Amino acid sequence: MKMTMLGNSDLQVSNVCLGTMTWGEQNSEADAHRQIDYALERGINFIDTAELYPVMPNAATQGATERFLGSWLKQSGRRSEIVLATKIAGPNPGQDWIRGAAHNLDEANLRAAVEASLRRLQTDYIDLYQLHWPSRNVPIFGASVFDPANERPCVPVEDTLGALGRLVDQGKLRHIGVSNESAWGVSAFTHAAEQHGLPRIATIQNLYNLTARGYETALLTETCHREQVALLAYSPLAFGQLTAKYLDDPAASGRLTLFPPTWSPRYLRPTVLAAVAEYAALACAQGMSPAQLALAWCYSRWFVASTIIGATSLAQLKENIDAAALVLPAELVTAIDAIHARLPNPGQ
């Protein structure tokens, strides 16, 4: 397993990260423990979770994913072998069961969220603590156009960073990162850190896959490269679409059929479905599975520090990890880029 340093931090992680958002909804605690054991056997040392998980989010299951990971940490005694990442939920009026309707990225909420995650995870420190989405108005979760008409009150970046800095000073957090962020957001955090002597963000966890290549724009790739902010790519299989299982059987079991389509419409756009069909045909012509093609491509991108994979079975997890050993010929990458250039941009 290839290892890499995350941004300007001292965190050395596997280039494949074990994602956990199905634990507590599609996967049991025993399933979760088996996945962790297998991932470690294969050389993965990086696990990503969130206080919000599992998905789809609801009050009854919120926090179960961290609890499953915490019980494994307690039983195994292998905390030192894991680089553990989790996230605080940003403001969302529809999720007032997370610290009440006023939950945001201010000091009171950050401290409460960190303490709750530490209890569920049964550890006394978090290696990488991330802001799941911004406090301010920014186009995310399928939106791609900034609209100033959607402006809302938000917590200033320097206030959030100051609160995180105090938690770092207390030893509860080692490093910090952002998620679902923009180039402006990355610049704001790095500038505030330099101006006020506060911790720098080490990572950005953003959507990136064959059907969603918005991160590649110069605004994000150049900003993150020059600011030493490492990309953690999430949803590399586009909620399972890039496995092509829904092409073969639209009713196949998975998040896109288990949950309401209104929850993740970005993966159901006609442009996404058209792209999936072309990439699946290309993979088949190369003697690869669609999932292998999508993951091997993501693993190989120069700006992706680690790719977050999720699975509901050990067989899926094995295929996802095995893809890290594949090397895509230059002509195959060219064919992938040709499909991307020919199809309308599916958005983010």
Side-chain angles (χ1 to χ4, degrees), residues 105-124:
L105 303 182
D106 54 28
E107 178 140 19
N109 275 283
L110 279 160
R111 186 164 296 278
V114 167
E115 295 292 355
S117 285
L118 289 172
R119 287 193 297 272
R120 288 189 292 263
L121 291 165
Q122 300 193 59
T123 185
D124 54 5

Side-chain angles (χ1 to χ4, degrees), residues 241 265-277 343-344 346:
Q241 281 286 21
R266 59 183 164 178
Y267 300 109
L268 299 172
R269 293 170 176 160
T271 47
V272 170
L273 302 183
V276 167
L343 293 173

Side-chain angles (χ1 to χ4, degrees), residues 124-137:
D124 54 5
Y125 68 98
I126 295 164
D127 295 296
L128 177 64
Y129 196 65
Q130 304 154 98
L131 310 176
H132 209 153
W133 60 88
S135 173
R136 70 186 189 282
N137 163 41

Side-chain angles (χ1 to χ4, degrees), residues 118-182:
L118 289 172
R119 287 193 297 272
R120 288 189 292 263
L121 291 165
Q122 300 193 59
T123 185
D124 54 5
Y125 68 98
I126 295 164
D127 295 296
L128 177 64
Y129 196 65
Q130 304 154 98
L131 310 176
H132 209 153
W133 60 88
S135 173
R136 70 186 189 282
N137 163 41
V138 63
I140 54 173
F141 301 134
S144 57
V145 178
F146 175 75
D147 185 353
N150 294 329
E151 289 292 84
R152 61 176 183 250
C154 62
V155 180
V157 165
E158 57 269 26
D159 290 358
T160 295
L161 203 53
L164 289 168
R166 286 182 280 279
L167 289 161
V168 170
D169 291 342
Q170 293 165 16
K172 298 178 187 296
L173 311 177
R174 290 182 62 198
H175 296 281
I176 60 173
V178 293
S179 182
N180 298 298
E181 258 297 0
S182 67

